[in-house]
Every structure is written in C-alpha cells, then in structure tokens.
Amino acid sequence: MLIENLGRARKALLDSLDGLTEDQLYATPAAGGPSIGQLAHHLQASERATAALVLDALQSRSERVEEKDPSFLAACLQQGCSHDHAVSGRFSGAELIRLLEESRFRDLQSVFNETHERVLAERSTERPLFGRVSLKNLLDTIWIHDELHGKQIAAIKQSLGATA
Amino acid sequence: MQTQFTAQLAIKFTSKWQEAGKDERAAAIREVVDIFGKHEGRVGLRGTYVVQGFQAHTDILFWMFADRFNDIQDLQLEIRRSSFGRYIATPHAFTGITKPFEFSEHPTSFAIGMRPREYLCFYPFIRKPEYYLLPKWERKALIGDHGDIGHEFTPDILTNGVYGFGLGDYEWLLTFETNDLSRLVDCVRKLRESKSRLYMQDEHPFIVGRYFALADALSQYA
C-alpha cells in the first residue's frame, strides 16, 4: 500500500493548494505557527531529504526489522518534526506545486527506479526520531507527513475563510 | 505495488457525427460525461486527449485506470450502447496492467500522485525475442542505460510503463506526459541512442494528444 498511500496523500495535498492567493499562502495562522506556503515548502524539502536518506541507506547492508504501525510513525513525526521553515523568498502556489512535483517525480521516483518495495521492506536504517526503521517505513513517513500537515493546512484555510 | 488495469481507448468520429444536429451532438456528449460520472470511484479517467493535428487515425484518446478490468469494459460498453456510440469508430484499444518492473518498482506517475500534463505521447511496443533470452545482467544493463537517458528528462517528462503481455498484440504500453513538446522530442530522440533499441521489434501506433477535461475534449469536435 506504500505507493497507493503516497499517491492518495499527495493528490489531496496538491488539491488543497489549488486556487490559494499568495496572501492566503503566507497568512500567519491565528493560532501561530507556519503558514500554508511554509508547510508546503517544508513537505517538499522533507521528501527530498527522505528520498536521499533511503538511496544512501540502500548502498549499505542492513537487517530486516519489524514493520512499524503508521500511527507510531505519525506520533513520532508529530513530536519531533523539525519545522525548518526558514524559506528564502515567497513561492507562488504554482511554484510550490512544481517543487512538490519535482520532489515526487525526481527525488522519490529515483528510489523506485532503483529498487522494489519488497527490498525496501527488507532493509533498515537508524533514525533519531524512529529508532531502527525499515526503508519502506521511512518512505511511509512521507505520506504520513503529507497527511499531518494536510490537516493543518485545512484548518488554516478554514480560519482564513478559504474554500476547503 | 497494487496492480491496476489501464486502458487507452482511441476513437474516431464517423461522418454521421457532422450530419447530426448540434443539439444531438451536445446531448451525446452529456451522455458520455454522465457515464464516466456513474463509474466514478471504480474507473479513473487520467485524461481525455485531443489528437487533432498529430495523427489522422484518431480524434480522441481516453486514458482510464481501474482495479478491476470489468469496470473498464462495462464503461466502454455503455459508451458503445449510448447515442454517442453511434457516431464513433474505435481505431485502437489497448489494455495494460501495472506491475513492478523486473529490476525496479517504477510506479506510474498517476499512482504516485502526479497530475496529468498538457500533452500525452502513447505507444505500444514489442521487443525482439532475443531480448528475453539475454542473461539477466545484460538485460539489467540495457534497461539501466535506457533509464539513465530517461532520467535526464525528469521531471519534465513523466513516464508510465505498463505490462501488456497476453492482453493484446503488444508487450509493453508506454505513455509519456509533458507540458513541453520540445522536451518530448529531445527525450525520444535521445532514447534512440540507447542500446536497448537494438532489441525493439515494433512500436506503433504513436498517439499524441492534448489534455482536456472530458466534456471540453469532446466539445472540440461538436
């Protein structure tokens, strides 16, 4: 289900960015925290970094570990997601969508051009946030991350009166 | 990777289409839109492509996908039985299935959440029998070389390769998606330098089209 989850969550994220003005993208949420534009930028940067980690980990030998439940990965992400939102410059909605598509079809697809999902489930790496985790689970964090911040984006949109 | 069926259905309007009145054509288009609406959730429509100006054998190419082939076939049969079906011929139809490739997963662009692009370039192909008799390492090297060329063009060109073995005359069905036809030409030209081309037996027809929403695509000919 890895690929289906990645596709479903990303489609919902891209749809949620459609039609937002630049003011809406960079409005500071009433509750504080990052703007929609900063969250979208953060998601594409995280996807690139995760894909690079997996490609790197594929180069070395590692053991198989038990699959972790998505709820565990989500809880870890919620606790330890490092929100590096120091984005230099404001990107338009179209540019953010382009960046998200680049991270998806260039960076993440590079992993799938390299190997199979079953191999990713058989290999692992050590990550501070999750402990020893399978490479498949590490890729799971991309769609879980999209969903977590997707909920945040929906809440911000609602507070701004933007169409959900 | 979850397997899914894909279908490329090429249609050509017969002379009866122009003989029909404007209202009849509009009603026939609405019927097709309703049929796709009825099957929503079971059959996905990746895009409807207007082929005018690219190839004379086809007017419209539908690109569909579904978990079950029967859902795609039921939808196509409903189109054939509809009033719209009276005005069309079907010059080409292709069915494929998504599966992991031999050496990597390589999911389709629509499976991993990429949006459709402005243009599609589709072609089915067959490799020479000798290809499948090569040692695995040699096939891997050939595919790797082919892939390296293709990677130069990502993400400008999205690639979608699916299996066609046993489902038709072809072994593989390949669809490129792009917003830039010039990049498509460069990519296809550069792929001619791949050694894997030595094992290409047949690749036709090419079908190239421009993306439109369903009703808009059909209305181009109304």
Side-chain angles (χ1 to χ4, degrees):
Chain A
M1 285 299 287
L2 169 64
I3 287 159
E4 293 68 33
N5 285 329
L6 284 164
R8 180 183 41 74
R10 180 53 54 92
K11 186 178 177 306
L13 175 68
L14 294 177
D15 288 350
S16 76
L17 299 177
D18 274 342
L20 292 176
T21 64
E22 205 170 325
D23 283 347
Q24 288 171 326
L25 280 172
Y26 291 98
T28 306
S35 66
I36 293 173
Q38 286 172 322
L39 287 170
H41 193 274
H42 165 67
L43 286 169
Q44 63 83 31
S46 300
E47 180 168 51
R48 280 170 205 263
T50 304
L53 277 171
V54 170
L55 279 174
D56 195 44
L58 278 169
Q59 304 307 313
S60 38
R61 296 173 75 87
S62 56
E63 74 267 29
R64 184 185 186 113
V65 293
E66 203 174 314
E67 286 293 297
K68 296 187 192 309
D69 193 83
S71 60
F72 167 81
L73 299 170
C76 294
L77 273 173
Q78 253 173 332
Q79 249 184 352
C81 180
S82 100
H83 283 219
D84 177 13
H85 300 299
V87 185
S88 56
R90 282 155 70 110
F91 296 88
S92 67
E95 284 168 332
L96 287 167
I97 287 173
R98 182 181 56 77
L99 287 169
L100 282 161
E101 294 206 320
E102 269 183 23
S103 63
R104 177 54 49 104
F105 208 74
R106 195 174 54 199
D107 301 74
L108 180 62
Q109 186 74 327
S110 298
V111 175
F112 292 124
N113 287 343
E114 193 67 30
T115 193
H116 286 110
E117 186 177 332
R118 61 177 161 72
V119 175
L120 293 165
E122 287 162 5
R123 311 281 284 274
S124 64
T125 189
E126 190 74 32
R127 298 302 305 156
L129 214 50
F130 313 107
R132 181 150 285 276
V133 64
S134 76
L135 300 185
K136 186 251 172 201
N137 268 167
L138 201 50
L139 292 185
D140 278 324
T141 65
I142 294 175
W143 67 264
I144 294 167
H145 204 187
D146 276 8
E147 284 192 344
L148 287 174
H149 288 318
K151 283 180 194 157
Q152 236 178 310
I153 288 171
I156 299 170
K157 279 175 71 171
Q158 201 171 12
S159 72
L160 294 174
T163 316
Chain B
M1 185 199 298
Q2 185 189 340
T3 58
Q4 279 195 307
F5 288 92
T6 66
Q8 262 95 357
L9 178 71
I11 63 160
K12 176 89 179 163
F13 291 101
T14 64
S15 55
K16 286 183 188 162
W17 181 245
Q18 286 309 322
E19 289 161 20
K22 204 169 175 56
D23 290 347
E24 284 170 274
R25 292 200 297 265
I29 290 170
R30 276 198 302 276
E31 219 176 317
V32 174
V33 173
D34 288 347
I35 291 169
F36 274 97
K38 182 180 151 191
H39 288 265
E40 199 178 341
R42 293 188 300 278
V43 180
L45 181 63
R46 175 63 167 175
T48 318
Y49 300 87
V50 170
V51 179
Q52 181 67 38
F54 287 112
Q55 285 84 30
H57 53 65
T58 295
D59 287 332
I60 299 268
L61 182 76
F62 297 100
W63 183 9
M64 310 167 208
F65 57 93
D67 292 344
R68 291 167 7 110
F69 169 75
N70 290 6
D71 290 327
I72 290 178
Q73 191 180 57
D74 288 346
L75 184 150
Q76 293 191 8
L77 286 169
E78 273 198 57
I79 291 176
R80 290 289 296 272
R81 289 192 296 261
S82 72
S83 54
F84 186 84
R86 291 202 299 268
Y87 303 117
I88 56 167
T90 308
H92 304 287
F94 304 92
T95 293
I97 189 166
T98 62
K99 280 176 182 288
F101 282 8
E102 187 176 12
F103 303 111
S104 68
E105 198 75 25
H106 206 81
T108 57
S109 59
F110 60 82
I112 59 168
M114 298 297 289
R115 289 176 159 181
R117 295 300 195 244
E118 192 175 356
Y119 302 101
L120 155 148
C121 167
F122 165 82
Y123 63 95
F125 65 93
I126 308 174
R127 291 201 185 281
K128 288 182 179 169
E130 298 92 301
Y131 173 80
Y132 298 100
L133 301 175
L134 290 172
K136 196 170 179 176
W137 66 266
E138 202 170 342
R139 282 204 310 278
K140 190 172 185 177
L142 286 167
I143 292 300
D145 172 52
H146 190 263
D148 287 347
I149 294 173
H151 295 169
E152 284 177 39
F153 294 90
T154 56
D156 298 346
I157 310 279
L158 308 183
T159 52
N160 298 271
V162 303
Y163 288 72
F165 293 83
L167 301 176
D169 294 333
Y170 294 90
E171 296 169 346
W172 303 97
L173 310 177
L174 184 63
T175 309
F176 293 124
E177 296 171 277
T178 186
N179 291 331
D180 185 345
L181 287 175
S182 175
R183 287 287 280 167
L184 172 74
V185 169
D186 291 344
C187 177
V188 175
R189 160 67 188 83
K190 193 80 189 285
L191 285 169
R192 293 295 191 264
E193 295 169 20
S194 162
K195 284 193 173 65
S196 65
R197 294 282 305 166
L198 294 170
Y199 296 96
M200 182 65 81
Q201 181 166 302
D202 185 18
E203 48 178 351
H204 86 277
F206 264 70
I207 304 177
V208 184
R210 178 176 156 209
Y211 177 91
F212 283 89
L214 175 60
D216 291 342
L218 302 177
S219 299
Q220 301 305 310
Y221 294 90

Short mmCIF file of all heavy atoms in Angstrom, two decimals, chain A residues 30-59:
data_model
loop_
_atom_site.label_atom_id
_atom_site.label_comp_id
_atom_site.label_asym_id
_atom_site.label_seq_id
_atom_site.Cartn_x
_atom_site.Cartn_y
_atom_site.Cartn_z
N ALA A 30 -3.96 32.22 12.88
CA ALA A 30 -4.37 32.88 14.13
C ALA A 30 -3.72 32.20 15.34
O ALA A 30 -3.32 32.85 16.29
CB ALA A 30 -5.89 32.83 14.23
N ALA A 31 -3.61 30.88 15.26
CA ALA A 31 -3.04 30.12 16.38
C ALA A 31 -1.51 30.15 16.38
O ALA A 31 -0.87 29.51 17.21
CB ALA A 31 -3.54 28.69 16.32
N GLY A 32 -0.93 30.88 15.45
CA GLY A 32 0.53 30.91 15.33
C GLY A 32 1.01 29.73 14.51
O GLY A 32 0.22 28.94 14.00
N GLY A 33 2.32 29.63 14.37
CA GLY A 33 2.89 28.51 13.61
C GLY A 33 3.07 28.86 12.14
O GLY A 33 2.80 30.00 11.72
N PRO A 34 3.52 27.88 11.38
CA PRO A 34 3.86 28.15 9.99
C PRO A 34 2.64 28.42 9.11
O PRO A 34 1.54 27.98 9.41
CB PRO A 34 4.55 26.86 9.55
CG PRO A 34 4.09 25.82 10.50
CD PRO A 34 3.81 26.50 11.78
N SER A 35 2.88 29.14 8.03
CA SER A 35 1.83 29.41 7.04
C SER A 35 1.67 28.20 6.12
O SER A 35 2.50 27.28 6.12
CB SER A 35 2.21 30.64 6.21
OG SER A 35 3.35 30.34 5.43
N ILE A 36 0.63 28.26 5.30
CA ILE A 36 0.40 27.15 4.34
C ILE A 36 1.60 27.04 3.39
O ILE A 36 2.08 25.93 3.11
CB ILE A 36 -0.90 27.41 3.55
CG1 ILE A 36 -2.11 27.32 4.47
CG2 ILE A 36 -1.04 26.41 2.40
CD1 ILE A 36 -3.44 27.72 3.81
N GLY A 37 2.08 28.16 2.90
CA GLY A 37 3.21 28.15 1.97
C GLY A 37 4.45 27.53 2.62
O GLY A 37 5.18 26.75 1.98
N GLN A 38 4.68 27.88 3.89
CA GLN A 38 5.85 27.33 4.59
C GLN A 38 5.69 25.81 4.78
O GLN A 38 6.66 25.06 4.65
CB GLN A 38 6.01 28.02 5.94
CG GLN A 38 6.54 29.44 5.79
CD GLN A 38 6.51 30.20 7.11
OE1 GLN A 38 5.57 30.06 7.90
NE2 GLN A 38 7.52 31.02 7.34
N LEU A 39 4.47 25.40 5.08
CA LEU A 39 4.24 23.94 5.26
C LEU A 39 4.47 23.19 3.96
O LEU A 39 5.10 22.13 3.94
CB LEU A 39 2.81 23.70 5.76
CG LEU A 39 2.53 24.08 7.22
CD1 LEU A 39 1.03 24.02 7.51
CD2 LEU A 39 3.29 23.16 8.18
N ALA A 40 3.97 23.76 2.85
CA ALA A 40 4.13 23.09 1.55
C ALA A 40 5.62 23.00 1.18
O ALA A 40 6.10 21.97 0.70
CB ALA A 40 3.35 23.84 0.47
N HIS A 41 6.33 24.10 1.44
CA HIS A 41 7.77 24.10 1.14
C HIS A 41 8.49 23.07 2.01
O HIS A 41 9.37 22.34 1.54
CB HIS A 41 8.35 25.50 1.36
CG HIS A 41 9.72 25.64 0.78
ND1 HIS A 41 10.85 25.29 1.48
CD2 HIS A 41 10.14 26.06 -0.44
CE1 HIS A 41 11.92 25.49 0.72
NE2 HIS A 41 11.52 25.94 -0.46
N HIS A 42 8.10 23.02 3.27
CA HIS A 42 8.68 22.06 4.22
C HIS A 42 8.45 20.61 3.75
O HIS A 42 9.35 19.78 3.82
CB HIS A 42 8.04 22.30 5.58
CG HIS A 42 8.23 21.22 6.59
ND1 HIS A 42 9.45 20.91 7.15
CD2 HIS A 42 7.33 20.38 7.17
CE1 HIS A 42 9.29 19.92 8.00
NE2 HIS A 42 8.02 19.58 8.04
N LEU A 43 7.27 20.35 3.23
CA LEU A 43 6.95 18.98 2.80
C LEU A 43 7.80 18.54 1.62
O LEU A 43 8.27 17.40 1.57
CB LEU A 43 5.45 18.85 2.47
CG LEU A 43 4.53 18.84 3.69
CD1 LEU A 43 3.07 18.98 3.27
CD2 LEU A 43 4.72 17.57 4.52
N GLN A 44 8.01 19.44 0.66
CA GLN A 44 8.83 19.03 -0.48
C GLN A 44 10.29 18.87 -0.07
O GLN A 44 10.97 17.96 -0.53
CB GLN A 44 8.64 19.98 -1.69
CG GLN A 44 9.07 21.43 -1.50
CD GLN A 44 10.55 21.65 -1.71
OE1 GLN A 44 11.18 20.95 -2.50
NE2 GLN A 44 11.12 22.61 -1.00
N ALA A 45 10.76 19.74 0.85
CA ALA A 45 12.15 19.62 1.31
C ALA A 45 12.33 18.32 2.08
O ALA A 45 13.35 17.62 1.94
CB ALA A 45 12.51 20.82 2.18
N SER A 46 11.33 17.97 2.90
CA SER A 46 11.41 16.72 3.68
C SER A 46 11.41 15.51 2.76
O SER A 46 12.11 14.52 3.01
CB SER A 46 10.21 16.60 4.63
OG SER A 46 10.20 17.67 5.50
N GLU A 47 10.59 15.59 1.72
CA GLU A 47 10.52 14.46 0.79
C GLU A 47 11.87 14.24 0.11
O GLU A 47 12.35 13.11 -0.02
CB GLU A 47 9.43 14.70 -0.25
CG GLU A 47 9.31 13.54 -1.25
CD GLU A 47 8.07 13.64 -2.11
OE1 GLU A 47 7.84 14.72 -2.71
OE2 GLU A 47 7.33 12.66 -2.20
N ARG A 48 12.48 15.36 -0.31
CA ARG A 48 13.80 15.24 -0.95
C ARG A 48 14.80 14.61 0.01
O ARG A 48 15.56 13.71 -0.36
CB ARG A 48 14.33 16.64 -1.31
CG ARG A 48 13.76 17.19 -2.58
CD ARG A 48 14.15 18.66 -2.74
NE ARG A 48 13.18 19.31 -3.57
CZ ARG A 48 13.33 19.53 -4.88
NH1 ARG A 48 14.44 19.17 -5.48
NH2 ARG A 48 12.39 20.11 -5.57
N ALA A 49 14.79 15.10 1.27
CA ALA A 49 15.76 14.62 2.26
C ALA A 49 15.52 13.12 2.55
O ALA A 49 16.48 12.34 2.66
CB ALA A 49 15.64 15.44 3.54
N THR A 50 14.26 12.74 2.67
CA THR A 50 13.95 11.33 2.98
C THR A 50 14.37 10.43 1.82
O THR A 50 14.95 9.36 2.04
CB THR A 50 12.44 11.17 3.28
OG1 THR A 50 12.09 12.07 4.33
CG2 THR A 50 12.10 9.75 3.69
N ALA A 51 14.08 10.86 0.60
CA ALA A 51 14.47 10.06 -0.57
C ALA A 51 16.00 9.89 -0.61
O ALA A 51 16.51 8.80 -0.89
CB ALA A 51 13.96 10.71 -1.84
N ALA A 52 16.72 10.97 -0.30
CA ALA A 52 18.19 10.90 -0.31
C ALA A 52 18.68 9.94 0.76
O ALA A 52 19.62 9.15 0.53
CB ALA A 52 18.77 12.30 -0.09
N LEU A 53 18.04 9.99 1.95
CA LEU A 53 18.43 9.07 3.04
C LEU A 53 18.24 7.62 2.62
O LEU A 53 19.09 6.76 2.88
CB LEU A 53 17.56 9.33 4.27
CG LEU A 53 17.94 10.47 5.20
CD1 LEU A 53 16.84 10.70 6.23
CD2 LEU A 53 19.25 10.12 5.92
N VAL A 54 17.12 7.35 1.98
CA VAL A 54 16.81 5.97 1.57
C VAL A 54 17.81 5.51 0.50
O VAL A 54 18.33 4.39 0.57
CB VAL A 54 15.34 5.85 1.09
CG1 VAL A 54 15.09 4.51 0.45
CG2 VAL A 54 14.39 6.08 2.26
N LEU A 55 18.07 6.37 -0.46
CA LEU A 55 19.03 6.00 -1.52
C LEU A 55 20.40 5.71 -0.91
O LEU A 55 21.08 4.75 -1.31
CB LEU A 55 19.15 7.13 -2.54
CG LEU A 55 18.05 7.19 -3.62
CD1 LEU A 55 18.20 8.44 -4.46
CD2 LEU A 55 18.08 5.94 -4.51
N ASP A 56 20.76 6.52 0.07
CA ASP A 56 22.04 6.35 0.74
C ASP A 56 22.07 5.02 1.51
O ASP A 56 23.03 4.26 1.43
CB ASP A 56 22.25 7.54 1.68
CG ASP A 56 23.68 7.63 2.14
OD1 ASP A 56 24.57 7.45 1.28
OD2 ASP A 56 23.91 7.83 3.35
N ALA A 57 20.98 4.77 2.24
CA ALA A 57 20.91 3.55 3.07
C ALA A 57 20.90 2.29 2.20
O ALA A 57 21.35 1.23 2.64
CB ALA A 57 19.66 3.59 3.94
N LEU A 58 20.42 2.41 0.98
CA LEU A 58 20.40 1.23 0.09
C LEU A 58 21.81 0.78 -0.29
O LEU A 58 22.01 -0.35 -0.72
CB LEU A 58 19.62 1.56 -1.19
CG LEU A 58 18.10 1.46 -1.12
CD1 LEU A 58 17.46 2.07 -2.37
CD2 LEU A 58 17.65 0.01 -0.94
N GLN A 59 22.76 1.69 -0.13
CA GLN A 59 24.15 1.37 -0.52
C GLN A 59 24.82 0.44 0.48
O GLN A 59 25.82 -0.20 0.16
CB GLN A 59 25.00 2.65 -0.64
CG GLN A 59 24.46 3.69 -1.62
CD GLN A 59 24.18 3.12 -2.99
OE1 GLN A 59 25.00 2.41 -3.55
NE2 GLN A 59 22.99 3.41 -3.52
#
